[in-house]
Amino acid sequence: MSTLIFDKIQDLSLKETLDCGQCFRWKEREDGSFFGVVRGRAAAVHMEGDRLFIDGAKECDRDLWADYFDLSLDYADVKEQLSVIHPEMASAARFAPGIRILRQEPWEALISFIISQNNNIKRITGIVDRLCAHFGDPIGDGVFAFPTAEQLAALSPEDLMPIRAGFRHRYIIDAAQKTADGTIDLEQIRHLPYDAARQTLMQITGVGVKVADCVLLYGLHRLESFPLDVWMKRATATLFDGMDPSAFGAYAGIAQQYIFHYARSHPEKFIN
DNA sequence: ACCCAGGAAATTC
DNA sequence: GAATTTCATGGG
């Protein structure tokens, strides 16, 4: 297996991007690299200066990895645009300037954020790990792909007991069945107007406004999405009192990720 | 023992 | 219809 290299990479920190609560399948290793699985392909990633290394990836997947890390978007420009909107937004971006919004697989984002509800990131990661290990295809060296909708649709909520996701088991199975039988077509949702896309996702039991917004942002790269979880509600109340989230415009989702990570990293600022 | 976690469904008022 | 309660699980 070979190593893919991308040169002249700006505005990317792997730690900030892979450990800021937008994805749940990357593990930091002793040497500072990250190991993960994307679209059934395992790889270890690290940076040396402005060069990004994807170890274990094939040359034919170069576009796939460039797409995953959203390398075609100029984040310096995005940060400039967002920072003039509000000074606290500028501070949040300076705190973690290497955050990017990954282009995750929509189906994986859907299940991951169904699991995320009323949960914490550490436990979400554990549940996703067990979901893959129990029901995903083995892809070598004890590593597993994310299970497909068809694979999960064949199961019942009781079959998910080993992943210990509690009341979310039936939500996962409902999402799998509706995706597998075509009731929900994530690639079709990608092209719908925002509110229609959100309403369509909310046909799944266990998908409300916030989970739908996360699927749209992290799985379908709708950068105008602005998921409001408990942290973002605290942060917007404290930092942007009375401000309409839509003021962040077309890149509101990127603003949201800077602010979310900033708030979670400074909890003392947001506890009343 | 209690409270909370990247919420949403079910129930009650 | 709007406000409240319940839903599993694990860590602080």
Side-chain angles (χ1 to χ4, degrees), chain A residues 24-29 33-36 125-126 129:
Chain A
F24 305 98
R25 289 211 72 192
W26 290 96
K27 311 291 178 222
E28 188 169 17
R29 305 196 293 188
S33 68
F34 285 80
F35 182 84
T125 301
D129 282 346

mmCIF file of all heavy atoms in Angstrom, chain A residues 24-29 33-36 125-126 129:
data_model
loop_
_atom_site.group_PDB
_atom_site.id
_atom_site.type_symbol
_atom_site.label_atom_id
_atom_site.label_comp_id
_atom_site.label_asym_id
_atom_site.label_seq_id
_atom_site.Cartn_x
_atom_site.Cartn_y
_atom_site.Cartn_z
ATOM 1 N N PHE A 24 -16.436 10.499 14.550
ATOM 2 C CA PHE A 24 -16.275 9.626 15.720
ATOM 3 C C PHE A 24 -15.429 8.390 15.438
ATOM 4 O O PHE A 24 -15.402 7.472 16.252
ATOM 5 C CB PHE A 24 -17.662 9.211 16.233
ATOM 6 C CG PHE A 24 -18.543 10.393 16.529
ATOM 7 C CD1 PHE A 24 -19.480 10.825 15.594
ATOM 8 C CD2 PHE A 24 -18.401 11.113 17.699
ATOM 9 C CE1 PHE A 24 -20.285 11.930 15.852
ATOM 10 C CE2 PHE A 24 -19.196 12.218 17.971
ATOM 11 C CZ PHE A 24 -20.140 12.631 17.039
ATOM 12 N N ARG A 25 -14.737 8.353 14.296
ATOM 13 C CA ARG A 25 -14.002 7.133 13.978
ATOM 14 C C ARG A 25 -12.494 7.335 13.848
ATOM 15 O O ARG A 25 -11.790 6.465 13.347
ATOM 16 C CB ARG A 25 -14.527 6.496 12.678
ATOM 17 C CG ARG A 25 -15.903 5.872 12.833
ATOM 18 C CD ARG A 25 -16.089 4.679 11.919
ATOM 19 N NE ARG A 25 -15.330 3.533 12.347
ATOM 20 C CZ ARG A 25 -15.143 2.451 11.596
ATOM 21 N NH1 ARG A 25 -15.640 2.403 10.382
ATOM 22 N NH2 ARG A 25 -14.443 1.436 12.048
ATOM 23 N N TRP A 26 -11.955 8.473 14.269
ATOM 24 C CA TRP A 26 -10.515 8.693 14.195
ATOM 25 C C TRP A 26 -9.894 8.589 15.587
ATOM 26 O O TRP A 26 -10.412 9.160 16.539
ATOM 27 C CB TRP A 26 -10.206 10.063 13.607
ATOM 28 C CG TRP A 26 -10.518 10.167 12.149
ATOM 29 C CD1 TRP A 26 -11.658 10.662 11.582
ATOM 30 C CD2 TRP A 26 -9.673 9.770 11.066
ATOM 31 N NE1 TRP A 26 -11.576 10.595 10.215
ATOM 32 C CE2 TRP A 26 -10.373 10.051 9.869
ATOM 33 C CE3 TRP A 26 -8.395 9.195 10.982
ATOM 34 C CZ2 TRP A 26 -9.832 9.777 8.613
ATOM 35 C CZ3 TRP A 26 -7.864 8.933 9.726
ATOM 36 C CH2 TRP A 26 -8.574 9.222 8.566
ATOM 37 N N LYS A 27 -8.788 7.836 15.691
ATOM 38 C CA LYS A 27 -8.079 7.682 16.961
ATOM 39 C C LYS A 27 -6.672 8.250 16.839
ATOM 40 O O LYS A 27 -5.944 7.912 15.901
ATOM 41 C CB LYS A 27 -7.967 6.194 17.341
ATOM 42 C CG LYS A 27 -9.263 5.413 17.268
ATOM 43 C CD LYS A 27 -10.257 5.829 18.327
ATOM 44 C CE LYS A 27 -11.550 5.055 18.192
ATOM 45 N NZ LYS A 27 -12.740 5.864 18.359
ATOM 46 N N GLU A 28 -6.301 9.085 17.799
ATOM 47 C CA GLU A 28 -4.932 9.599 17.810
ATOM 48 C C GLU A 28 -3.992 8.515 18.324
ATOM 49 O O GLU A 28 -4.302 7.823 19.286
ATOM 50 C CB GLU A 28 -4.834 10.846 18.689
ATOM 51 C CG GLU A 28 -3.484 11.530 18.579
ATOM 52 C CD GLU A 28 -3.478 12.901 19.250
ATOM 53 O OE1 GLU A 28 -4.386 13.175 20.049
ATOM 54 O OE2 GLU A 28 -2.554 13.677 18.958
ATOM 55 N N ARG A 29 -2.842 8.382 17.659
ATOM 56 C CA ARG A 29 -1.885 7.361 18.070
ATOM 57 C C ARG A 29 -0.713 7.999 18.822
ATOM 58 O O ARG A 29 -0.596 9.223 18.905
ATOM 59 C CB ARG A 29 -1.394 6.591 16.838
ATOM 60 C CG ARG A 29 -2.570 5.988 16.035
ATOM 61 C CD ARG A 29 -2.121 4.936 15.068
ATOM 62 N NE ARG A 29 -1.298 5.456 13.994
ATOM 63 C CZ ARG A 29 -0.916 4.738 12.951
ATOM 64 N NH1 ARG A 29 -1.289 3.480 12.834
ATOM 65 N NH2 ARG A 29 -0.169 5.272 12.006
ATOM 66 N N SER A 33 -0.066 10.721 14.878
ATOM 67 C CA SER A 33 -0.884 10.505 13.684
ATOM 68 C C SER A 33 -2.273 10.037 14.100
ATOM 69 O O SER A 33 -2.504 9.685 15.256
ATOM 70 C CB SER A 33 -0.230 9.459 12.772
ATOM 71 O OG SER A 33 -0.265 8.180 13.388
ATOM 72 N N PHE A 34 -3.192 10.046 13.135
ATOM 73 C CA PHE A 34 -4.561 9.592 13.399
ATOM 74 C C PHE A 34 -4.880 8.412 12.498
ATOM 75 O O PHE A 34 -4.554 8.431 11.303
ATOM 76 C CB PHE A 34 -5.559 10.720 13.147
ATOM 77 C CG PHE A 34 -5.575 11.763 14.231
ATOM 78 C CD1 PHE A 34 -4.603 12.763 14.258
ATOM 79 C CD2 PHE A 34 -6.530 11.737 15.225
ATOM 80 C CE1 PHE A 34 -4.604 13.721 15.256
ATOM 81 C CE2 PHE A 34 -6.538 12.689 16.228
ATOM 82 C CZ PHE A 34 -5.573 13.681 16.249
ATOM 83 N N PHE A 35 -5.534 7.404 13.082
ATOM 84 C CA PHE A 35 -5.962 6.237 12.313
ATOM 85 C C PHE A 35 -7.484 6.225 12.226
ATOM 86 O O PHE A 35 -8.171 6.410 13.232
ATOM 87 C CB PHE A 35 -5.472 4.940 12.970
ATOM 88 C CG PHE A 35 -5.840 3.708 12.208
ATOM 89 C CD1 PHE A 35 -5.054 3.267 11.151
ATOM 90 C CD2 PHE A 35 -7.003 3.015 12.520
ATOM 91 C CE1 PHE A 35 -5.402 2.140 10.423
ATOM 92 C CE2 PHE A 35 -7.363 1.888 11.797
ATOM 93 C CZ PHE A 35 -6.560 1.449 10.750
ATOM 94 N N GLY A 36 -8.004 6.001 11.011
ATOM 95 C CA GLY A 36 -9.455 5.992 10.857
ATOM 96 C C GLY A 36 -9.884 5.243 9.609
ATOM 97 O O GLY A 36 -9.061 4.713 8.858
ATOM 98 N N THR A 125 -18.465 7.735 20.720
ATOM 99 C CA THR A 125 -17.350 7.063 20.056
ATOM 100 C C THR A 125 -17.341 5.567 20.371
ATOM 101 O O THR A 125 -17.139 4.738 19.475
ATOM 102 C CB THR A 125 -16.026 7.706 20.505
ATOM 103 O OG1 THR A 125 -16.053 9.096 20.169
ATOM 104 C CG2 THR A 125 -14.846 7.045 19.828
ATOM 105 N N GLY A 126 -17.596 5.216 21.623
ATOM 106 C CA GLY A 126 -17.616 3.809 22.007
ATOM 107 C C GLY A 126 -18.740 3.051 21.323
ATOM 108 O O GLY A 126 -18.552 1.924 20.849
ATOM 109 N N ASP A 129 -17.877 2.547 17.669
ATOM 110 C CA ASP A 129 -16.870 1.480 17.574
ATOM 111 C C ASP A 129 -17.520 0.103 17.640
ATOM 112 O O ASP A 129 -17.236 -0.774 16.821
ATOM 113 C CB ASP A 129 -15.859 1.596 18.722
ATOM 114 C CG ASP A 129 -14.830 2.676 18.481
ATOM 115 O OD1 ASP A 129 -14.740 3.151 17.333
ATOM 116 O OD2 ASP A 129 -14.114 3.033 19.434
#
